[in-house]
Amino acid sequence: MVFMIKALVKLVRALCSNTAPAEIAHAFAWGVILGFLPKDNALWYILFVLIFFMRIQRGVFSLAVLVVSLFAGVADPLFDQIGYWVLTHPAMQDTMTKLINIPFVAFTKINNTIVMGCLICGICAYVPLYLFSRLFTFIWRRYIGGKLKNIKFIKAIGKIPLIRKIADIAQGELI
C-alpha cells in the first residue's frame, strides 16, 4: 500500500516537475505493455531489466505496470485471438519453429498465444500510448496541475490528519 502511494506521489510530482515529457511518455507506454504481458515468462523479466537501462520516469512506469496488471485479465481473450492468428499464420510457422529451437527462447513462452498477442498489441500500441501520454502531460502542466492546488476542496482534504499522515509517508518522512 505504501509503495502504491509513493508511486502515485511520484507520478504527480513528475507531471508537475521539470521531468522531460518524453521520459514520462516512454515510462507510461512501457508500463502499459509490461502490465498486460503475463509475468510468468522470461520475456517479461528481460524487458523489465532492459527498461531500467532507459532514461524513464520510474514512478510513472511502476504505477502503470501495477494499475494495468490489475485489468490485464480482461484483455486476455483479445490477446489470445491475436496471438493465435499470428502463431498459426502460415508465413510465421517456419519462423516460430526456428525460434523455439533456439536454446532458452522457449523460456520466453513466445509460442504462447497470450504472450504473442500481448507482444504484437504492445508493439502496435506503443506509439499511440506515447503520444497520448505526451499530450496528457502537456495538458496537465499547462491547464490542470497549477489550478488543483487552489481548489478549496483539495486544501480541505489536505488538512485531514489521516491524509496528511499518508502524504508524509509517501514523501518518506515517517519511514
Side-chain angles (χ1 to χ4, degrees):
M1 180 68 177
V2 173
F3 176 75
M4 189 78 149
I5 293 171
K6 283 184 179 182
L8 187 59
V9 169
K10 285 182 181 181
L11 169 67
V12 173
R13 281 186 185 161
L15 289 172
C16 296
S17 71
N18 289 332
T19 303
E23 292 178 22
I24 296 170
H26 284 300
F28 176 74
W30 277 112
V32 169
I33 291 169
L34 281 187
F36 277 127
L37 201 64
K39 281 104 185 124
D40 64 342
N41 60 68
L43 179 63
W44 192 89
Y45 293 103
I46 291 167
L47 289 175
F48 183 78
V49 169
L50 289 177
I51 287 167
F52 277 95
F53 287 105
M54 296 180 191
R55 188 176 176 117
I56 62 168
Q57 213 296 324
R58 285 172 178 71
V60 173
F61 171 74
S62 300
L63 191 63
V65 169
L66 287 172
V67 170
V68 172
S69 293
L70 295 174
F71 303 103
V74 175
D76 279 351
L78 172 69
F79 296 143
D80 184 46
Q81 289 178 350
I82 292 170
Y84 181 79
W85 181 81
V86 169
L87 291 172
T88 58
H89 196 276
M92 288 296 293
Q93 288 180 351
D94 289 337
T95 305
M96 290 309 298
T97 303
K98 289 177 184 175
L99 267 176
I100 294 302
N101 289 331
I102 297 172
F104 300 109
V105 172
F107 293 124
T108 64
K109 294 188 180 178
I110 198 81
N111 60 335
N112 182 317
T113 55
I114 294 176
V115 172
M116 180 57 79
C118 287
L119 191 61
I120 296 298
C121 289
I123 291 169
C124 294
Y126 189 85
V127 172
L129 288 169
Y130 175 84
L131 293 174
F132 167 76
S133 55
R134 283 286 298 245
L135 178 65
F136 180 77
T137 303
F138 172 77
I139 291 171
W140 180 273
R141 288 181 178 175
R142 175 70 59 95
Y143 302 108
I144 300 171
K147 293 179 183 175
L148 280 180
K149 293 178 185 177
N150 299 327
I151 296 175
K152 291 180 183 179
F153 178 72
I154 300 294
K155 288 180 181 179
I157 288 176
K159 292 180 182 177
I160 298 172
L162 178 63
I163 302 296
R164 173 59 49 210
K165 193 169 196 169
I166 290 172
D168 291 343
I169 289 172
Q171 292 175 357
E173 294 175 6
L174 296 179
I175 292 179

